[in-house]
Amino acid sequence: MRVAIALVVLLSAACAPSEAERFTPADLPPEISSPSPTPTAPKVETVQVSPDVQVVVEWPATTDRDATAMINSFRDYRAGSFRAVVTGGRDVAYRETVQEGASQDAYAWVKAFLDQRRSVRGISRLYSLNVVSVTGRGAELNACVDETGMRLLDAETGKAVRRQPDWARRPFLQVAGLRRGDDGIWRIKLLQHAKPFSEASKGCHR
């Protein structure tokens, strides 16, 4: 299955999953919770990618160990991808969070920025993080991504480009397929997104 990653101004391929049109953001379902969990209040976490870039994670109220590990992996992928961009490709730690098809798409996403001499600044927000299914070692995570607080830059001048891409104008839905490896670590195997102005992404607008 070929999975597209959004970069409208740089990569033209992207399609919304048909199932995503029924997407409604929600907290993690109780059926995947660990036995006798101790509830915790939702928290907001800020990852400082660079002096000019932050990834803000609005955590759901959950103490499930696997769900927490999946969200950590998705957070690290998003932050790591931006870190690769702002360092001109020198930081490649994001590759540790992906495998198989997702690793190829993640590399292409970063490479597109570098080839076009583009960078970013601002805040990327992740919210309505929802593990919608778990089957054995596989799982699916839905997340809303809001990058309206980010700007696409000319990497040489540091100035915002005149025409900003759609992902910087409206939140969108991203779906991640994850797999738990023999080492117990959840990594992203598949990535898919719904276009910011699509019906599937309406559940992320607030």
Side-chain angles (χ1 to χ4, degrees):
M1 176 179 180
R2 182 171 182 82
V3 183
I5 296 181
L7 181 56
V8 177
V9 69
L10 305 172
L11 299 175
S12 60
C15 62
S18 59
E19 294 83 4
E21 294 186 359
R22 298 190 296 274
F23 168 71
T24 301
D27 274 350
L28 300 180
E31 59 268 24
I32 66 167
S33 298
S34 56
S36 303
T38 302
T40 58
K43 65 177 181 179
V44 176
E45 176 188 15
T46 299
V47 179
Q48 196 73 40
V49 174
S50 73
D52 296 323
V53 179
Q54 293 180 337
V55 173
V56 176
V57 184
E58 298 179 15
W59 279 80
T62 180
T63 56
D64 179 84
R65 185 176 301 175
D66 281 336
T68 298
M70 293 176 210
I71 293 173
N72 281 337
S73 179
F74 184 71
R75 173 205 63 199
D76 292 347
Y77 158 70
R78 298 287 309 180
S81 296
F82 283 124
R83 192 172 287 113
V85 169
V86 299
T87 62
R90 292 185 297 276
D91 191 315
V92 295
Y94 74 95
R95 296 182 186 176
E96 297 299 319
T97 66
V98 292
Q99 64 179 46
E100 298 179 10
S103 62
Q104 297 174 9
D105 288 335
Y107 173 77
W109 189 87
V110 172
K111 186 175 184 296
F113 274 95
L114 304 181
D115 288 350
Q116 296 293 323
R117 295 183 174 84
R118 295 291 185 254
S119 189
V120 291
R121 69 163 177 257
I123 298 174
S124 173
R125 293 186 178 274
L126 311 178
Y127 56 97
S128 295
L129 294 147
N130 181 18
V131 177
V132 296
S133 67
V134 179
T135 305
R137 291 188 174 189
E140 180 181 323
L141 171 70
N142 284 358
C144 289
V145 181
D146 183 350
E147 293 177 344
T148 58
M150 299 200 80
R151 289 296 176 265
L152 185 68
L153 309 177
D154 182 313
E156 296 180 352
T157 66
K159 295 181 179 180
V161 300
R162 182 178 296 245
R163 183 175 178 81
Q164 291 291 309
D166 283 350
W167 54 259
R169 298 167 57 203
R170 189 72 65 90
F172 60 90
L173 168 67
Q174 184 154 45
V175 179
L178 297 103
R179 185 179 185 278
R180 182 170 55 196
D182 293 338
D183 56 4
I185 297 176
W186 288 93
R187 294 181 178 87
I188 299 171
K189 184 176 181 179
L190 298 172
L191 283 164
Q192 197 167 32
H193 86 286
K195 293 181 179 179
F197 289 89
S198 69
E199 287 293 319
S201 288
K202 282 187 175 180
C204 292
H205 300 170
R206 60 183 187 179

